[in-house]
Amino acid sequence: MRILITGGCGFIGSHLTDALINAGHKVIVMDNLVTGSIDNIKQHLSNPDFEFIHHNVSNHIHLIGHLDWIIHFASPASPVDYLQLPIETLKVNSLGTHNTLGLALAKGARYFLASTSEVYGDPKVHPQTEEYWGHVNPIGPRGVYDESKRFAEALTMAYHHKHNLDTRIIRIFNCYGPRLRINDGRVVSNFIKQALNDEDITVYGKGEQTRSFQYVSDLVGGILKFMDVKYNEPINLGNPDEKTVLELAKIIIKLTNSKSNIVYEPLPIDDPKQRLPDITRAKTILNWNVKVSLLEGLEKTIDWYRKAKQ
Ligand code: UDP
């Protein structure tokens, strides 16, 4: 198949690119490199089945030739990034989603949207099922990401209902692994960087807030399965192994054998207090389940960061 991946130079997009190229598909990556990196896709640059186009998908997209799939993964996704790039974030998830949906319609392609557990905001329902509508502050600092992803879901469903476009939506829960930018400000990258340098580990708030961390290969496996299943409602993809941020800090200190101390810093505004996916839908519809435990995934990630440091 010929597949367009927006944001294919990013952390998740580049792993998906690897998997689709390995499966024998032709992949076009479109990225404006605002948070992604060419380094993540350099292994494909000489492959005739691969093409990189430097373009911001919030602007009109012109692409020659047929497409079987458009996979829309372009967006800043780390809270630190989308706080620095609020307008770009709003645009890529609204205008960028509109442009890519329109292109899918014109090409007769199927459409795959990367949405997020952030659509649930600071959830009042625990664990989060896909039926839960969420609890989002539209004008808070995270609103630029949360609301634009909610809009992207709404637009995708509108194209499905109005134009009969064959669409998929996944809600991605915290994902980590090799290529997660060391300076992107997320908890896993921050803690590993700090632990490897024996620097203070910055736990925000009391560290009682929870997250559930999935390893990137599990997520990519779920995406590939979902491409083969015609189901148009959103599906959560995440690891239902809930940890407090403080627990995560202690695990990373132990795995890295670090001398770091834990220090406490203010909790960011609207930081969700708990996050845990209900993955019943992914299990039943996709026959998908988590394969990589947190310890195993963190070990692989720490290993990658150690090598990247050298
Ligand atoms: N966090 C932290 N220290 C850091 C970075 C993040 O305690 O150095 C916390 C953050 O407040 C949040 C959780 O870790 O409660 C996950 O943050 P992240 O930025 O990875 O993503 P989020 O799940 O909030 O989108």
Side-chain angles (χ1 to χ4, degrees):
M1 293 191 290
R2 188 164 186 254
I3 300 168
L4 171 66
I5 306 185
T6 76
C9 294
F11 159 53
I12 297 171
S14 67
H15 283 284
L16 186 56
T17 299
D18 292 351
L20 291 171
I21 289 276
N22 287 341
H25 301 297
K26 293 185 195 309
V27 174
I28 304 163
V29 161
M30 197 170 271
D31 202 302
N32 67 349
L33 301 177
V34 67
T35 55
S37 164
I38 283 283
D39 241 24
N40 290 338
I41 49 117
K42 63 177 185 304
Q43 62 279 21
H44 303 301
L45 287 174
S46 60
N47 183 342
D49 286 338
F50 177 83
E51 192 182 340
F52 169 65
I53 302 175
H54 191 178
H55 181 68
N56 180 351
V57 297
S58 301
N59 300 322
H60 177 79
I61 303 167
H62 178 70
L63 199 74
I64 293 168
H66 91 281
L67 285 174
D68 298 285
W69 274 101
I70 296 179
I71 302 183
H72 184 34
F73 270 63
S75 174
S78 157
V80 171
D81 287 339
Y82 58 72
L83 294 184
Q84 276 168 7
L85 301 164
I87 315 279
E88 290 87 341
T89 303
L90 283 157
K91 283 172 80 174
V92 74
N93 290 312
S94 54
L95 306 178
T97 303
H98 189 218
N99 287 335
T100 48
L101 280 165
L103 188 66
L105 201 59
K107 300 284 186 190
R110 285 176 282 173
Y111 188 84
F112 200 116
L113 175 72
S115 185
T116 167
S117 54
E118 282 283 328
V119 300
Y120 302 121
D122 188 8
K124 299 286 175 220
V125 166
H126 197 71
Q128 292 81 55
T129 62
E130 292 86 349
E131 280 90 17
Y132 178 48
W133 292 354
H135 178 242
V136 170
N137 175 3
I139 57 164
R142 300 174 83 103
V144 299
Y145 187 63
D146 304 11
E147 289 296 3
S148 64
K149 284 291 188 187
R150 290 166 67 94
F151 175 86
E153 288 198 9
L155 196 59
T156 301
M157 291 311 285
Y159 268 70
H160 170 62
H161 291 304
K162 180 80 184 168
H163 295 302
N164 212 15
L165 195 71
D166 190 9
T167 55
R168 310 281 186 276
I169 298 173
I170 49 166
R171 294 183 179 150
I172 302 172
F173 284 66
N174 294 59
C175 183
Y176 69 97
R179 297 186 195 153
L180 184 65
R181 261 172 38 237
I182 192 91
N183 289 322
D184 86 344
R186 275 187 268 205
V187 69
V188 173
S189 40
N190 269 8
F191 286 2
I192 294 179
K193 176 182 64 181
Q194 292 160 345
L196 289 180
N197 293 317
D198 291 328
E199 293 166 357
D200 288 346
I201 304 263
T202 54
V203 167
Y204 300 160
K206 292 184 184 152
E208 288 168 352
Q209 68 274 34
T210 68
R211 293 294 184 272
S212 310
F213 300 97
Q214 67 180 320
Y215 190 65
V216 64
S217 61
D218 278 335
L219 174 62
V220 169
I223 294 167
L224 297 180
K225 282 191 172 222
F226 201 2
M227 288 173 74
D228 287 335
V229 175
K230 192 169 160 41
Y231 182 84
N232 304 110
E233 302 285 315
I235 296 186
N236 289 337
L237 289 177
N239 183 349
D241 177 13
E242 187 180 15
K243 291 275 180 285
T244 68
V245 165
L246 189 57
E247 280 171 328
L248 179 75
K250 289 179 180 164
I251 293 170
I252 290 178
I253 290 174
K254 200 164 170 205
L255 288 179
T256 51
N257 223 349
S258 173
K259 297 189 191 67
S260 293
N261 296 310
I262 291 174
V263 297
Y264 294 88
E265 293 193 354
L267 192 65
I269 299 168
D270 293 340
D271 198 285
K273 284 180 264 319
Q274 48 182 8
R275 186 180 287 158
L276 173 66
D278 181 315
I279 58 165
T280 311
R281 204 178 267 186
K283 281 182 177 164
T284 50
I285 307 273
L286 305 181
N287 191 25
W288 174 85
N289 210 338
V290 170
K291 290 190 183 141
V292 182
S293 70
L294 180 63
L295 287 186
E296 195 188 335
L298 283 176
E299 273 173 1
K300 288 179 197 219
T301 310
I302 290 165
D303 214 40
W304 183 83
Y305 279 119
R306 276 193 210 278
K307 287 187 183 127
K309 261 182 85 181
Q310 283 161 9

